[in-house]
Amino acid sequence: MEQGIPAYSLDGDNLRTGLNCNLGFSKEDREENVRRVAEVARLFADSGIIALCSFVSPFAADREMARKIHENANLPFFEIFIDASLQICEARDVKGLYKKARQGIIKGFTGIDQNYDVPIEPDLTVNTENTTVQQSTDIVINFLQSKQIIPKICELKQPCLELFVEEDRLDDIRKEIKTLPIVEIGKLDVQWLQVLAEGWAAPLKGFMRENEYLQVSLSLMYPCIKRKSIVIFNRCNILTVCMKMAFRSTNQFLSFLP
């Protein structure tokens, strides 16, 4: 989402408190839980939004059902196995669910009194016992890039690049400005300069030249040519919003000018 890619996270927090609030942890309820999740994820994917589904889904048959729901709609589906031992899962029990299961308060809890079908051939395995959160995230990002779900230019580690001049260079830059040609610009141009300066147009570091302009124009005319075009289209929407936001702080930006 930080890179302008539409995505949504589906998990127990936002589904079991609403759509699936009437489901428990029995085998039948878990099957229905996964089915509803898969159908919701399919709707997201059908609209061009990446659905990241974080669920225990202990039964192999249920995971296969979720895959078929997507495949029947000609949509990509990837089963990612987050590999962690029961001991590690209990140590990470931030909600106290494993503790309640041990006490018998919760019945049919995976790993305690219900088995877990370990994926035999998952599309990706992430062992979180030996990796940090960032390393695990990078593994998933690299996988999605290899499957051409997201473009490789979208690096989560790439910071938002601001183009403001550092304080210790202001005097030198002001001297350099006096030697440069003068171009008159209006308020709208100043607003776009602010968008560039604050990094909202990253990875752009200046105004678009002909090739970049044609690429964006084609993506607007034919947004379904390839997945990269959709990302460019979304970035244009973000720039439009940022331009409106920039209007309120133009005076602040002007204060940086000599």
Side-chain angles (χ1 to χ4, degrees):
M1 293 180 67
E2 292 178 356
Q3 299 295 330
I5 301 175
Y8 195 84
S9 174
L10 297 173
D11 57 25
D13 288 339
N14 54 24
L15 282 182
R16 281 195 175 271
T17 56
L19 179 64
N20 295 347
C21 65
N22 62 325
L23 300 177
F25 294 98
S26 67
K27 186 177 186 304
E28 294 75 19
D29 282 357
R30 284 190 177 275
E31 178 180 350
E32 177 61 13
N33 182 60
V34 173
R35 188 194 68 80
R36 294 183 190 179
V37 169
E39 292 290 356
V40 172
R42 178 185 62 81
L43 293 175
F44 273 106
D46 188 51
S47 66
I49 300 175
I50 298 175
L52 302 172
C53 305
S54 305
F55 294 89
V56 177
S57 53
F59 306 119
D62 297 344
R63 299 194 294 266
E64 184 61 26
M65 172 188 62
R67 181 185 296 274
K68 288 183 178 179
I69 287 175
H70 285 75
E71 290 179 347
N72 291 340
N74 295 319
L75 294 168
F77 175 92
F78 303 106
E79 180 182 356
I80 300 178
F81 175 36
I82 306 301
D83 190 2
S85 65
L86 177 61
Q87 291 74 18
I88 293 295
C89 290
E90 288 198 69
R92 296 171 177 170
D93 190 18
V94 295
K95 297 180 180 178
L97 297 180
Y98 281 94
K99 182 178 180 180
K100 291 180 179 180
R102 291 289 189 187
Q103 295 172 345
I105 300 175
I106 298 178
K107 302 293 184 182
F109 199 79
T110 303
I112 305 300
D113 55 353
Q114 189 176 72
N115 293 329
Y116 177 79
D117 298 338
V118 177
I120 299 176
E121 294 182 354
D123 298 291
L124 176 68
T125 298
V126 181
N127 189 322
T128 61
E129 292 191 19
N130 304 314
T131 56
T132 64
V133 173
Q134 185 60 58
Q135 290 171 335
S136 300
T137 302
D138 290 341
I139 292 173
V140 176
I141 293 296
N142 292 334
F143 173 78
L144 293 177
Q145 289 175 343
S146 70
K147 297 298 181 179
Q148 298 183 335
I149 300 300
I150 59 176
K152 291 187 177 180
I153 61 171
C154 293
E155 302 273 346
L156 285 184
K157 294 179 291 185
Q158 178 182 354
C160 182
L161 180 63
E162 291 187 348
L163 304 180
F164 288 116
V165 176
E166 298 175 357
E167 289 288 338
D168 58 353
R169 295 184 58 220
L170 280 177
D171 292 338
D172 293 335
I173 293 299
R174 287 191 173 110
K175 292 178 183 178
E176 182 183 355
I177 287 175
K178 294 179 180 179
T179 67
L180 300 176
I182 297 176
V183 177
E184 293 187 6
I185 62 175
K187 180 186 291 186
L188 181 60
D189 299 315
V190 173
Q191 292 169 5
W192 278 114
L193 279 175
Q194 184 182 1
V195 169
L196 289 168
E198 293 181 352
W200 290 102
L204 289 178
K205 296 182 180 180
F207 290 104
M208 289 184 292
R209 288 173 168 77
E210 182 178 6
N211 288 341
E212 295 164 323
Y213 177 77
L214 289 175
Q215 185 180 13
V216 173
S217 298
L218 286 173
S219 70
L220 291 172
M221 294 170 60
Y222 307 102
C224 297
I225 290 179
K226 54 184 178 179
R227 207 172 293 273
K228 186 180 294 184
S229 298
I230 299 175
V231 176
I232 295 173
F233 179 80
N234 288 327
R235 190 175 297 281
C236 290
N237 286 341
I238 291 174
L239 287 179
T240 302
V241 174
C242 292
M243 184 186 72
K244 294 178 180 178
M245 293 173 61
F247 180 79
R248 294 194 296 270
S249 55
T250 300
N251 290 336
Q252 180 184 2
F253 173 73
L254 288 174
S255 65
F256 286 90
L257 298 179

